[in-house]
Every structure is written in structure tokens, then in C-alpha cells.
């Protein structure tokens, strides 16, 4: 007797082909595998519309320029490739993961003379934080930022971030907040905002943090909604004394950090400025999803 089993097939894109994930293979000599020599993006998709696509593609270009790898596709080509992955994915809301590596070559640190980049696009499940988490906030922990000095590149070589993130996992926390030379840089996989004396503070973009797409949306919304804010370095003491701490990312959107290193942040609940920003973010997102606004 045979039993029919229906399993959803995930269609991915790899170097010119759309194929089931199970059938996708890369050569073991790919420099992404050997050296983590590549860059990536994670793009949220709502109602099958990629959110801030052009900004993600611009950041991809900046990452590629930084690692001196020619972009294998024009923005129009990327849009087409991503559109097909989005169409074929099961759910209306999803994430698109894309990565470009310097491709296969001999195991030599130096670049191959004529790189053949590997291009991979994968649909991801996208589950923004549940209502309860938004209402309770999350716990975070701090750690010294021991990463390199090019954290502005969205590089696939994420071992430092992986190790830093695991510190919070081991402590039962949602994120590790990183401190370098007495200042807040970002989270292991998110950007961090602080509210002090009613003022929203964001660390300035630099080589020490990833220029987050959600970070930009939050600052734009702060401007649009008259939320007083300043972009300037945030000292560790300010972080520890803050009334509110938030984390932002394409997958987590905006989430309040309500416990830091075991101490409550403010009164230990998401604060009023967070609640305003969260509502503004959801409004904006829904406007985008209804297609009434440029994404
Ligand atoms: N990470 N900083 C770091 C180190 C990150 O890895 C991320 C996102 C961010 C936020 O960037 P954005 O708002 O553009 O998502 C900041 C993604 C989601 C990841 O690696 O899965």
C-alpha cells in the first residue's frame, strides 16, 4: 500500500535556474563556502510586494562595491528574479533571502582573475513578532562588540554575529546588544534605538554598524510623526539609564527591549514612544501593502 504524502516544494533561484531547494547544489570550491566571501540581503515581502526593494538593492550594490565584486545583475534584472520567487512562494507575506558570492575557484585567498559569481535566492517564512511579544517586549543582554571594522558590509561571513547572538540564546534572551569603546553599535542581527528623557536616539551610520533599512524607516517615521529624535553616538551609560530601548530589523520590525542584562528597562514594559512608533510602523506597512504608497 502506498501513502500519498504532500510536501510543499520550495522553489529557489540558483545561477539562472529556478529549481526545488532539494535539487540546488553549489560546488564545494565556492568561495562563499570556503571563505564566506559574499554578501546578502533579507527583504520582507508583504502581500507579495517587496518592502523597500530599491533600498535593499542599493545596499546590495554598496556591499558588492565594498568587496570589489561586480554586480551580476541590473536592478531591473534583480526585480524580475525576485518577482518570480515571490510569485511562487506559498504565502502572501514572506521574506526573500538573496546572496551573491565570488563563486568557485582554487583555495587561494586572492580573488580569482575572472570571478563567476554564485547567485542564490531563497524564499523565507516571515513571521513578524506575535502581538504578545510586542506587548511584553523582549529581554536582551550586552556583550563587547568584537567584530571587524567593516560592519557596514552585509557580508555572509557572519561567524562573529553568530557567536554573539548565541550568547543571548544561551541566556534565554532575544538579542545581544553590542558595545564598542564605551558606545552602543547595534545588535547581533538588528539596529538599536534608545529613548532618553523623551528623546529618541539612534547611533549614526558608520563602519561600525549595518545601515539598516528598517532603521531608515523608523527615522523617517519619527520625522513624519514629530517624534523628537537625534542621531548621535550613544554611550553605554545612556543605554543603561534609558527609559526605552528598541531593536529593529526586516524580520523583527520594531520591538521593545524591556529587560537589559537582567535589569528592567524603564518600568519594564514597552514605553509610550515605542507604542507610537509601533503603530506608525504598522500603519505605514499596511498603506504600502494596500499599494497606495510608493514602497
Ligand atoms: N539582519 N544589523 C545587523 C548586524 C543585521 O544583521 C541586521 C539585519 C540589521 C537590520 O537591518 P535591516 O533593517 O535592513 O533588516 C542590523 C537580517 C534580518 C539577517 O541577517 O537575517
Amino acid at each position: 500500500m502506498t501513502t500519498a504524502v504532500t510536501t510543499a516544494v520550495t522553489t529557489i533561484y540558483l545561477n539562472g535556474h529556478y529549481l526545488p531547494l532539494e535539487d540546488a547544489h553549489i560546488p564545494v570550491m565556492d568561495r562563499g563556502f570556503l571563505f564566506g566571501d559574499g554578501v546578502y540581503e533579507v527583504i520582507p515581502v508583504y502581500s507579495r510586494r517587496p518592502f523597500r526593494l530599491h533600498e535593499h538593492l542599493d545596499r546590495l550594490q554598496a556591499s558588492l562595491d565594498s568587496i570589489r565584486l561586480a554586480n551580476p545583475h541590473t536592478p531591473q534584472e534583480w526585480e524580475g528574479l525576485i518577482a518570480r520567487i515571490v510569485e511562487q512562494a506559498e504565502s502572501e507575506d514572506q521574506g526573500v533571502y538573496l546572496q551573491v558570492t565570488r563563486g568557485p575557484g582554487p583555495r587561494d585567498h586572492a580573488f580569482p582573475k575572472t570571478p563567476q559569481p554564485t547567485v542564490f535566492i531563497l524564499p523565507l517564512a516571515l513571521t513578524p513578532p506575535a502581538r504578545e511579544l510586542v506587548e511584553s517586549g523582549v529581554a536582551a543582554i550586552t556583550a563587547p562588540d568584537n567584530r571587524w571594522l567593516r560592519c557596514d558590509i552585509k557580508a555572509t561571513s557572519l561567524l562573529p554575529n553568530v557567536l554573539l547572538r548565541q550568547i543571548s540564546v544561551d541566556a534565554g534572551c532575544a538579542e545581544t546588544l553590542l558595545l564598542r569603546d564605551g558606545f552602543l553599535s547595534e545588535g547581533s542581527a538588528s539596529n538599536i534605538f534608545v529613548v532618553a528623557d523623551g528623546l529618541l536616539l539612534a547611533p549614526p551610520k558608520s563602519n561600525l554598524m549595518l545601515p539598516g533599512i528598517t532603521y531608515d524607516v523608523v527615522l523617517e517615521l519619527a520625522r513624519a510623526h514629530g517624534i523628537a529624535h537625534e542621531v548621535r553616538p550613544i554611550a553605554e551609560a545612556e543605554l543603561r539609564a534609558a527609559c526605552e530601548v528598541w531593536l529593529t530589523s526586516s524580520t523583527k520590525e520594531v520591538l521593545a527591549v524591556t529587560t537589559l542584562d537582567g535589569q528592567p528597562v524603564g518600568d519594564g514594559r514597552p514605553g509610550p514612544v515605542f507604542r507610537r512608533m509601533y503603530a506608525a510602523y504598522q500603519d505605514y506597512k499596511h498603506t504600502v501593502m494596500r499599494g497606495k504608497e510608493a514602497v
Side-chain angles (χ1 to χ4, degrees), residues 40 42 56 59 147 154 161 186-191 210 212-215 248-251:
Y40 76 105
V42 177
H56 280 280
R59 186 173 63 184
R147 301 172 301 163
K154 205 161 170 59
N161 300 63
E186 59 176 337
S188 70
S190 59
N191 291 114
L210 186 81
I213 305 299
T214 323
Y215 167 101
T248 68
S249 80
S250 294
T251 46

Side-chain angles (χ1 to χ4, degrees), residues 43-290:
I43 307 165
V45 174
Y46 302 113
S47 302
R48 296 196 195 274
R49 303 192 68 205
F51 186 72
R52 296 259 159 157
L53 179 57
H54 296 146
E55 288 80 353
H56 280 280
L57 292 179
D58 286 350
R59 186 173 63 184
L60 174 68
Q61 184 65 56
S63 295
L64 287 167
D65 290 346
S66 295
I67 70 161
R68 298 165 58 193
L69 180 59
N71 196 331
H73 295 296
T74 64
Q76 292 69 33
E77 286 169 353
W78 278 117
E79 279 179 44
L81 297 174
I82 292 167
R84 199 157 149 198
I85 287 291
V86 168
E87 265 165 39
Q88 293 178 357
E90 260 190 68
S91 105
E92 296 273 299
D93 291 356
Q94 53 193 265
V96 169
Y97 174 87
L98 65 87
Q99 104 167 33
V100 183
T101 77
R102 211 179 304 274
R107 194 197 172 275
D108 179 351
H109 289 58
F111 300 168
K113 287 224 159 40
T114 44
Q116 305 293 314
T118 298
V119 177
F120 173 48
I121 313 179
L122 169 78
L124 297 173
L126 182 76
T127 40
R131 190 83 221 168
E132 306 82 70
L133 214 56
V134 172
E135 278 163 16
S136 65
V138 296
I141 196 167
T142 57
D145 191 348
N146 56 10
R147 301 172 301 163
W148 67 336
L149 296 173
R150 289 307 309 273
C151 299
D152 54 319
I153 304 175
K154 205 161 170 59
T156 56
S157 33
L158 282 171
L159 185 56
N161 300 63
V162 166
L163 295 174
L164 289 163
R165 172 72 184 100
Q166 193 61 33
I167 296 174
S168 49
V169 173
D170 294 345
C173 293
E175 181 56 303
T176 311
L177 274 50
L178 307 177
L179 295 161
R180 197 192 290 257
D181 300 329
F183 289 90
L184 169 68
S185 37
E186 59 176 337
S188 70
S190 59
N191 291 114
I192 307 296
F193 289 76
V194 156
V195 178
D197 299 325
L199 187 64
L200 176 63
L201 299 176
K205 287 182 186 174
S206 75
N207 59 315
L208 302 181
M209 66 173 241
L210 186 81
I213 305 299
T214 323
Y215 167 101
D216 283 340
V217 174
V218 164
L219 285 178
E220 278 173 39
L221 290 173
R223 275 191 289 277
H225 290 262
I227 296 174
H229 60 281
E230 228 173 79
V231 177
R232 63 158 175 83
I234 301 169
E236 177 174 353
E238 289 182 293
L239 170 68
R240 299 207 181 275
C243 332
E244 300 187 23
V245 176
W246 314 342
L247 60 83
T248 68
S249 80
S250 294
T251 46
K252 298 274 191 300
E253 302 182 341
V254 193
L255 201 53
V257 172
T258 43
T259 311
L260 186 62
D261 290 334
Q263 300 298 314
V265 176
D267 65 3
R269 285 175 302 172
V273 189
F274 168 78
R275 289 201 299 272
R276 270 183 82 188
M277 179 54 72
Y278 182 79
Y281 194 92
Q282 295 307 314
D283 261 11
Y284 175 72
K285 195 177 99 178
H286 288 116
T287 309
V288 166
M289 283 163 59
R290 286 196 300 268

Side-chain angles (χ1 to χ4, degrees), residues 7-30:
T7 42
V9 176
T10 303
T11 300
I12 65 99
Y13 172 86
L14 182 64
N15 292 338
H17 306 282
Y18 290 89
L19 66 168
L21 179 59
E22 298 70 35
D23 299 341
H25 303 286
I26 56 154
V28 290
M29 296 310 281
D30 194 286

